[in-house]
Amino acid sequence: MKIKRQFIILSFIIISIPILCSIFVIIHTYIHSPNRYLIKGSAKLERKELSLLSKKDLDMLERSLKMLPEEVEAVLCRISDRKIIYSTIPDIEVGRIMQKNEIWNYATETSDKYFYQFSRLSSLDYNIILVTRLSRQRLYTSPKTSVYLRVLFLIIIIVAISLIFLLIISKSIFTGLNTIQSSSSRLAEGKLDTPITINSNNENQNEFNCILRSLETMRCELQEMQERKNRFIMGISHDLRTPVAVIKGYSEAIQDDVISDKDEIKKSIELIEQKATQLEGMIDTLINFMKLNNKEIKENLIKESITEIITDFAKYAQVTGTLFKRNIKTNISIDKDIQVPLNVQLVQRSFENLLSNAIRYTRENDLIEIAAHTEKKGRKSAIILQIKDTGYGIDKKDLDYIFELFYRGTNSRKEEGMGIGLAVVKNIMDTHGWKISVESQKGYGSCFTIKIPYKD
C-alpha cells in the first residue's frame, strides 16, 4: 500500500475514533439516562397545580392510572396518613399504611430490576405521592434499545478495527523508516557486501520499497565502482609497469656502464624513447577515458546527421580494409537524413574503434560487413548499425566482461593494449543514450550491434 494512502487512512482513523467514541458516549448515556424512562405526560402532572380533589376526582385519577400501559405499575400514597389508596404493584396492597421512607427503601432494594419514578400531586387539601415503575429488562429488550445497542456494538467493532489498522500502518511506517535508516547507515559506513532486503510482495510496493530499491541499486553501483576502482588500480599498475621497467632497466644499465658500446647506448636510448612514447600514449588514453564521464558532454550534444556519419564511416572502412587486406562489404539502407543529438568526434572514434578491433581479430581476406537500417516498433524508431566479422570470435566466458575497463579477453592477451577500447566505446554509447550489444561464437566471428533511437 502506498504511503500516501496509508497516511490518508491513518488521518481518517485518527479523526474518526474520537467522533465514534463521542457518539458511543452519547448513546450509552442516553440509554442509561433517567429522562429516557419518564412516562409521557408525567412531567406535566408533577408540575401541574391541582385543584381541590374530591372523592369523585380521586376516582377519576384512579381510572386514569388504570389506563397506563400494562408494563407500567403505579402506587398512590396519601402523605397525611401514609395510606396506599391505589396500587398495581403486587408487593404493596391497597389500604396498607406505609412507614416513613418505607416506599423509598423498597424502591432502593428493587432498583436493580425496576426503574422508579416519584411524583408529588399537591393541592390545597391533598398531598399525594405517585410512584411508577417500569421493568429494566423490558427497557433493554425494547426495539429502540435494541437498535441503540446494535449501533453501540457496531461502533465498538469499527473502533477496534480502526485501532488494529492504526497499529498495522504505524508498524509498517516505522519498519520502513528503520529499514531505510539501517540500510543507509550501512552504505555510509561502506558496508557494501550485504544486500538490502526488499519486500517482493506486490501488495506492499510502497514508497519505502522504492527508496530501498534505489538504495540497493546505489549499493550495487557503489560495489561495482569499488570493484572497478580496484581493477583500474591493478590494471594500470600492471600495464604501466612494463614500459617503466624497460625504461628503468636500460637507464640503470647505461648509468652502470653495463652497456658501454656507443651503438648499443644509442639503441637503448631509442628503446627508452619508444617506451616513454608508449607510456605517454597510455596516459593520454586514460585521461581521455576519464573525460568521458564528464556530464558536460551529455549537456553539449548537438543535433547532427547520423546518416552522413554512418555513410562516411562505411567509406572509411572500405579504404582501411583495402590497406589491411580485408574484404569489406557495406549495406547502408537508410533512405532519409536522420539527425540526432551527438558528439561527432566521439561517435566517429567509437565506430573506428570497433572497426579496428574487427581488423585486429581477423585474418587476411576475412570478411567484415557493415550494415545499417532503420526499424520502427510502435512509436519508437531506431537506426540499427552492425559491424560483423568472420574472425577469431570471442570466448563465451569473456562475453559478459568485454565492455569492462582493463578486461582483456582470451584472444587479446597476446596483443598489445590496455583493455580500454571497448570500455570507451560502451561509455560513448551510454553518454549518447544508445545501446550496444555483441553476439559471438569462438572461431566464427563476432557481430557488434548499435541501436540509435531517433524521433521522426
Side-chain angles (χ1 to χ4, degrees):
M1 186 186 296
K2 297 291 185 182
I3 298 300
K4 181 180 179 181
R5 186 174 299 174
Q6 290 188 26
F7 273 111
I8 291 173
I9 295 175
L10 193 62
S11 302
F12 176 77
I13 290 173
I14 291 173
I15 295 171
S16 63
I17 285 180
I19 295 174
L20 290 173
C21 290
S22 300
I23 296 173
F24 177 87
V25 171
I26 292 170
I27 296 176
H28 186 271
T29 303
Y30 175 72
I31 290 176
H32 294 85
S33 172
N35 294 330
R36 184 169 173 266
Y37 304 131
L38 289 174
I39 301 170
K40 280 189 175 182
S42 61
K44 291 182 179 179
L45 287 172
E46 184 178 0
R47 293 192 300 269
K48 185 177 180 183
E49 292 293 335
L50 298 177
S51 61
L52 183 61
L53 291 176
S54 62
K55 181 69 168 62
K56 184 179 179 181
D57 293 331
L58 290 174
D59 292 339
M60 188 179 293
L61 178 59
E62 185 176 336
R63 285 195 301 271
S64 299
L65 291 173
K66 288 180 180 179
M67 295 176 65
L68 289 173
E70 185 179 347
E71 61 270 17
V72 178
E73 298 174 322
V75 170
L76 281 176
C77 179
R78 196 162 49 210
I79 297 177
S80 58
D81 55 3
R82 294 191 296 277
K83 184 178 180 179
I84 303 300
I85 59 176
Y86 173 82
S87 175
T88 57
I89 297 177
D91 296 336
I92 304 175
E93 303 85 3
V94 176
R96 178 178 173 181
I97 303 299
M98 302 294 290
Q99 299 298 321
K100 188 179 181 180
N101 296 330
E102 187 176 352
I103 293 179
W104 179 260
N105 293 334
Y106 175 78
T108 303
E109 291 172 359
T110 57
S111 62
D112 57 334
K113 296 180 180 179
Y114 298 94
F115 176 80
Y116 286 87
Q117 180 178 334
F118 289 79
S119 303
R120 184 169 181 168
L121 308 178
S122 302
S123 71
L124 295 175
D125 296 334
Y126 292 91
N127 282 311
I128 299 173
I129 293 178
L130 170 63
V131 181
T132 56
R133 76 176 185 181
L134 191 62
S135 172
R136 290 183 181 272
Q137 184 63 31
R138 179 262 176 192
L139 290 170
Y140 292 145
T141 55
S142 67
K144 196 172 183 180
T145 303
S146 180
V147 172
Y148 287 147
L149 290 175
R150 287 193 184 97
V151 172
L152 288 179
F153 183 69
L154 182 61
I155 289 175
I156 292 172
I157 292 176
I158 293 175
V159 171
I161 294 174
S162 299
L163 290 174
I164 292 172
F165 267 104
L166 186 63
L167 292 174
I168 292 173
I169 293 175
S170 299
K171 182 181 178 182
S172 173
I173 292 174
F174 283 115
T175 300
L177 290 174
N178 289 333
T179 304
I180 291 173
Q181 190 272 334
S182 59
S183 300
S184 57
S185 295
R186 286 202 306 271
L187 290 180
E189 294 171 1
K191 298 177 181 179
L192 306 177
D193 295 331
T194 306
I196 296 174
T197 305
I198 302 173
N199 193 340
S200 59
N201 189 349
N202 290 330
E203 295 180 358
N204 293 323
Q205 296 304 309
N206 53 31
E207 289 81 353
F208 287 146
N209 279 340
C210 292
I211 294 173
L212 290 173
R213 194 173 290 109
S214 298
L215 288 175
E216 173 63 12
T217 302
M218 184 188 300
R219 184 195 69 83
C220 293
E221 290 179 355
L222 289 173
Q223 190 176 31
E224 184 179 350
M225 287 176 61
Q226 185 69 35
E227 293 174 356
R228 189 180 299 174
K229 176 183 175 182
N230 293 337
R231 289 197 303 270
F232 179 88
I233 294 172
M234 292 178 63
I236 195 170
S237 61
H238 176 270
D239 288 313
L240 296 181
R241 186 180 293 115
T242 301
V244 170
V246 172
I247 293 172
K248 183 179 179 181
Y250 277 96
S251 299
E252 290 177 349
I254 294 173
Q255 187 176 3
D256 296 338
D257 294 330
V258 174
I259 299 176
S260 56
D261 184 73
K262 189 175 181 179
D263 292 335
E264 291 294 328
I265 291 174
K266 185 178 180 181
K267 290 180 181 179
S268 298
I269 292 174
E270 289 176 355
L271 185 58
I272 290 173
E273 185 180 359
Q274 180 182 351
K275 292 300 178 182
T277 303
Q278 181 185 351
L279 184 61
E280 183 181 15
M282 293 168 72
I283 293 172
D284 288 340
T285 302
L286 285 173
I287 292 173
N288 290 332
F289 176 78
M290 299 309 295
K291 284 182 178 179
L292 290 176
N293 293 318
N294 195 334
K295 292 183 179 180
E296 292 182 5
I297 296 177
K298 289 184 179 182
E299 296 172 355
N300 295 319
L301 298 179
I302 301 173
K303 273 195 172 185
E304 300 282 355
S305 173
I306 187 64
T307 306
E308 183 178 343
I309 292 175
I310 292 175
T311 304
D312 291 343
F313 169 65
K315 294 177 182 178
Y316 166 81
Q318 287 178 329
V319 174
T320 305
T322 302
L323 292 176
F324 288 93
K325 298 180 181 180
R326 302 292 192 272
N327 292 321
I328 305 296
K329 181 180 178 181
T330 61
N331 182 17
I332 310 301
S333 302
I334 305 175
D335 56 0
K336 60 180 179 179
D337 185 50
I338 298 172
Q339 294 191 344
V340 295
L342 54 81
N343 182 300
V344 176
Q345 292 181 344
L346 292 179
V347 171
Q348 289 176 341
R349 179 180 175 184
S350 63
F351 291 171
E352 291 170 4
N353 199 318
L354 291 174
L355 177 64
S356 176
N357 281 349
I359 292 173
R360 180 183 297 178
Y361 298 111
T362 53
R363 297 166 289 266
E364 288 188 8
N365 299 320
D366 275 353
L367 177 64
I368 298 175
E369 296 182 71
I370 298 174
H373 67 277
T374 58
E375 70 171 19
K376 188 170 185 178
K377 292 183 179 180
R379 296 181 179 180
K380 297 181 178 180
S381 302
I383 295 175
I384 307 299
L385 172 64
Q386 290 184 319
I387 301 173
K388 186 177 181 181
D389 65 68
T390 57
Y392 302 117
I394 303 171
D395 201 310
K396 187 176 181 180
K397 65 181 181 180
D398 296 327
L399 279 176
D400 294 334
Y401 306 100
I402 61 171
F403 292 115
E404 292 189 7
L405 185 63
F406 295 121
Y407 186 84
R408 301 179 68 190
T410 306
N411 293 327
S412 63
R413 298 188 189 279
K414 299 177 183 179
E415 301 284 340
E416 290 187 3
M418 298 176 63
I420 294 179
L422 288 178
V424 170
V425 173
K426 180 67 165 60
N427 211 334
I428 292 173
M429 297 298 107
D430 292 342
T431 300
H432 287 77
W434 302 350
K435 302 292 183 183
I436 183 170
S437 59
V438 60
E439 295 177 358
S440 183
Q441 186 175 355
K442 194 172 178 63
Y444 292 91
S446 305
C447 178
F448 286 84
T449 301
I450 298 174
K451 186 175 182 178
I452 306 170
Y454 69 90
K455 295 181 180 180
D456 291 323

